[in-house]
Amino acid sequence: PLSVPRGTETSTAPEEFLYYLPAYDQWAASNLPPGNRGALQDPDGDHLANLVEFVTSSPALTPSSGLMSAVSRPGSDLPYMQFYRNPAATDVFLFVEHSSDLNTWTALPASDPRISVADPDPFGDGSRLLMQVSPDPDSPRMFYRLRAEKVHP
């Protein structure tokens, strides 16, 4: 029960008081040193913000070479992109954005058939999903990036 003292009196509520830390805050407290837990900070210097490291299951304190990897498909000249998605990152939106000129970026809708789950459990421990983004065959050149955004209640 929750008790609140006020002077010589104490008020008690019969309900239990539960407080949940948002998923990112829990991860940051467990994986990052104090003073380096901000969503936009980059303590390992790999140019990936902590929020992106969290949502893609990248190591927060070890430099990563890249989040998205191009994979060639047999019988096709068009590579597709793969990246990991942390299923525990319930308070972060992850957007796949594309551009033909690196200036104007457009987010693909989550329902876009080009975004799919390539493997729901690649490591057999439930720690991440392997996502895949197929290219637009009608676009002669296309660039992709990931954008993470914290959910605010």
Side-chain angles (χ1 to χ4, degrees), residues 6-94:
R6 184 180 302 157
T8 58
E9 298 178 15
T10 299
S11 296
T12 304
E15 302 87 22
E16 289 190 18
F17 177 73
L18 298 175
Y19 176 75
Y20 295 98
L21 274 176
Y24 173 79
D25 295 341
Q26 290 179 25
W27 173 86
S30 299
N31 292 283
L32 298 168
N36 287 290
R37 295 179 179 161
L40 299 178
Q41 288 182 291
D42 179 22
D44 61 7
D46 61 1
H47 305 289
L48 299 173
N50 287 335
L51 189 63
V52 174
E53 302 252 29
F54 168 59
V55 77
T56 60
S57 297
S58 296
L61 297 174
T62 305
S64 302
S65 60
L67 299 175
M68 296 179 81
S69 57
V71 180
S72 296
R73 181 173 286 142
S76 174
D77 293 333
L78 299 173
Y80 58 93
M81 305 305 288
Q82 290 186 329
F83 61 93
Y84 292 109
R85 174 72 162 103
N86 179 356
T90 55
D91 58 347
V92 180
F93 288 125
L94 184 63

Side-chain angles (χ1 to χ4, degrees), residues 68-143:
M68 296 179 81
S69 57
V71 180
S72 296
R73 181 173 286 142
S76 174
D77 293 333
L78 299 173
Y80 58 93
M81 305 305 288
Q82 290 186 329
F83 61 93
Y84 292 109
R85 174 72 162 103
N86 179 356
T90 55
D91 58 347
V92 180
F93 288 125
L94 184 63
F95 300 95
V96 176
E97 297 182 329
H98 64 95
S99 173
S100 60
D101 61 9
L102 293 175
N103 290 314
T104 305
W105 292 90
T106 305
L108 291 173
S111 61
D112 191 298
R114 290 178 282 177
I115 302 175
S116 61
V117 176
D119 189 335
D121 195 6
F123 297 99
D125 61 2
S127 67
R128 58 191 90 167
L129 305 168
L130 180 60
M131 303 299 295
Q132 178 174 302
V133 180
S134 298
D136 183 349
D138 298 327
S139 297
R141 108 181 163 174
M142 189 63 64
F143 303 95

